[in-house]
Amino acid sequence: MSTLERTRDWLRAHPLALDAALAAGVLACMAAGSFVDPHGENGTTWSARTPDAHSLVLMVLGAGALVFRRRAPMKVLLATVGFSLVELFTGDPRAPVVMSAVVALYTVASTTDRPTTWRVGLVTMTVLTAVAMLAGPLPWYAQENLGIFAWTGMAAAAGDAVRSRRAFVHAIRERAERAERTREEEARRRVAEERLRIARDLHDVVAHHIALVNVQAGVASHVMDKRPDQAKEALAHVREASRSALNELRATVGLLRQTGDPEAPTEPAPGLARLDELADTFRNAGLPVEVARSDRDTVLPAAVDLAAYRVIQEALTNVRKHAGPGAKAEVSVVRVGTNVEVTVLDNGPGQDIGPQEGGGHGLLGMRERVTAIGGTCTAGPRYGGGFRVHAILPVKTRTPALGDPV
């Protein structure tokens, strides 16, 4: 960092010192100007006159007031205008005390709003110019009097321009900071939504397949000694369910891979095309499942197709876990207008979910998944016994807007 840059940074950190330096500069200019006679025989001459003692005092007081121009700009302006008026009435020859008022007017204009700048600027210009024209030995049209009008007007205009530029830069900076905060909040929101979606997928996969593994393992343990063939068949189902669970987990976790990681599985996500296969896994686990469909010609978006499959999977898993022995399930998929309605019914007496099972998140996950694609999902006991899960899914999801996650 250069010496100039260090000096500038130090002055910004110490504004009172900067104002003191400015006051000293203004005092030097006023003192130099007080020795100049613009009406000499050969034009402007230097050292042709000497300012009076009271003029020197007024110059010192006007420059000294500028030290506090940031703390009390309006009071400093009133003080410097007062000193200037005294000099205009009494000075002969006049000293340029009005220069301090010009700097004070610039400070007021740069720190207030535009209406205040207009009012204060017009009053200052009018008062100083009128007094300069009406008082003193010079004619009213003398260039010194017109110079007071011009310098005060330019000071007010320059101060207002500086204030406007500062406000504009501040607005741009604030808008940029707000946009950055909005981007960060949007990124956090999308990350949270993606984590929730992946958590739902993992829950659906693990809950479904582990429930099947648990049932088949129990069957194998029960018939191992008396009916080894049936036990062998149950273990085969366990193997198949575990393989499916691993495949789906691999596909889900593959979404989290980074660029350059080994290629993730490319098999499509499950959908209603695999509904019969899903029903067979539950039938093999001992749960009678009937499937009725009237949507064979309907092509669903991938998100809707996956949501329908997951709702049925979770609902059947809950039937197998909680409906009790002897229960059976009915699955229907029906096209109704612009929607597809998925219903899963069971006739089991049901049982409470004990504390050891933790209440689960299956129903909540179903509702969140369906709501995310613009559908609705309801679940509750049926009149006369059993449980009912009903989801209404739109055939066409909304077109993502620019910037939405895809």
Side-chain angles (χ1 to χ4, degrees):
M1 183 181 293
S2 64
T3 304
L4 180 61
E5 292 176 344
R6 286 196 298 268
T7 303
R8 184 169 60 247
D9 293 341
W10 186 87
L11 290 175
R12 289 177 179 174
H14 302 82
L16 190 62
L18 178 61
D19 291 338
L22 175 65
V26 172
L27 178 61
C29 292
M30 289 190 295
S34 64
F35 287 93
V36 177
D37 183 8
H39 304 286
E41 296 180 358
N42 299 320
T44 303
T45 57
W46 290 83
S47 302
R49 61 180 182 174
T50 302
D52 296 335
H54 78 278
S55 296
L56 292 174
V57 172
L58 290 175
M59 285 189 288
V60 171
L61 292 176
L66 295 179
V67 176
F68 308 99
R69 69 188 186 95
R70 296 178 193 263
R71 297 184 179 182
M74 196 65 70
K75 293 180 179 179
V76 170
L77 176 62
L78 292 175
T80 53
V81 168
F83 299 146
S84 301
L85 292 177
V86 173
E87 176 63 21
L88 292 175
F89 275 112
T90 61
D92 188 17
R94 293 173 177 171
V97 181
V98 72
M99 187 180 297
S100 62
V102 170
V103 176
L105 179 59
Y106 164 83
T107 303
V108 171
S110 64
T111 55
T112 59
D113 53 23
R114 181 161 295 172
T116 302
T117 299
W118 275 96
R119 290 194 295 267
V120 173
L122 287 175
V123 170
T124 303
M125 286 189 296
T126 302
V127 171
L128 290 178
T129 304
V131 172
M133 290 180 174
L134 298 177
L138 298 177
W140 67 269
Y141 52 84
Q143 63 179 2
E144 290 91 337
N145 300 335
L146 299 178
I148 292 175
F149 180 84
W151 279 105
T152 51
M154 286 189 295
D160 183 69
V162 170
R163 179 197 56 77
S164 299
R165 182 181 178 279
R166 288 174 182 169
F168 178 72
V169 172
H170 177 72
I172 292 178
R173 184 180 296 112
E174 186 179 34
R175 192 179 301 115
E177 293 174 354
R178 190 184 307 114
E180 184 65 25
R181 288 195 301 268
T182 302
R183 273 196 303 271
E184 293 176 356
E185 293 171 359
E186 180 68 13
R188 287 194 295 266
R189 182 186 65 81
R190 293 185 180 182
V191 169
E193 290 178 352
E194 184 65 13
R195 291 171 63 184
L196 180 61
R197 186 190 66 79
I198 294 174
R200 284 199 300 262
D201 283 342
L202 290 175
H203 172 272
D204 292 343
V205 171
V206 173
H208 165 61
H209 291 290
I210 295 302
L212 295 180
V213 169
N214 180 60
V215 171
Q216 295 294 350
V219 171
S221 176
H222 182 69
V223 301
M224 179 68 71
D225 297 329
K226 297 181 180 180
R227 288 175 286 179
D229 292 339
Q230 187 173 351
K232 185 177 180 181
E233 182 182 354
L235 290 176
H237 290 313
V238 169
R239 181 181 179 184
E240 181 64 28
S242 61
R243 182 185 296 111
S244 299
L246 288 174
N247 290 336
E248 293 197 32
L249 282 173
R250 189 178 299 113
T252 301
V253 177
L255 298 174
L256 303 178
R257 294 181 184 271
Q258 302 293 328
T259 303
D261 288 347
E263 185 177 356
T266 57
E267 60 265 19
L272 293 180
R274 297 175 54 183
L275 179 55
D276 292 335
E277 178 184 342
L278 177 66
D280 288 338
T281 61
F282 283 98
R283 294 188 186 107
N284 294 331
L287 175 65
V289 180
E290 296 181 4
V291 178
R293 298 185 63 178
S294 64
D295 67 320
R296 297 295 181 181
D297 298 329
T298 302
V299 178
L300 299 178
V304 177
D305 200 22
L306 176 61
Y309 180 87
R310 293 303 190 196
V311 167
I312 297 173
Q313 182 186 55
E314 179 63 28
L316 292 178
T317 301
N318 289 338
V319 173
R320 186 66 189 85
K321 292 168 62 177
H322 307 302
K328 68 176 183 178
E330 299 177 3
V331 179
S332 66
V333 182
V334 182
R335 171 72 180 268
V336 180
T338 60
N339 298 319
V340 168
E341 296 190 9
V342 175
T343 307
V344 180
L345 307 174
D346 72 79
N347 62 348
Q351 58 186 19
D352 293 335
I353 301 176
Q356 72 278 8
E357 295 167 289
H361 300 280
L363 296 179
L364 178 61
M366 280 194 294
R367 292 192 181 97
E368 291 176 344
R369 183 186 295 278
V370 172
T371 302
I373 60 174
T376 59
C377 180
T378 58
R382 298 172 60 194
Y383 178 76
F387 203 81
R388 176 178 183 266
V389 175
H390 181 67
I392 301 176
L393 308 173
V395 174
K396 294 183 179 180
T397 56
R398 70 177 181 90
T399 302
L402 183 61
D404 284 355
V406 295

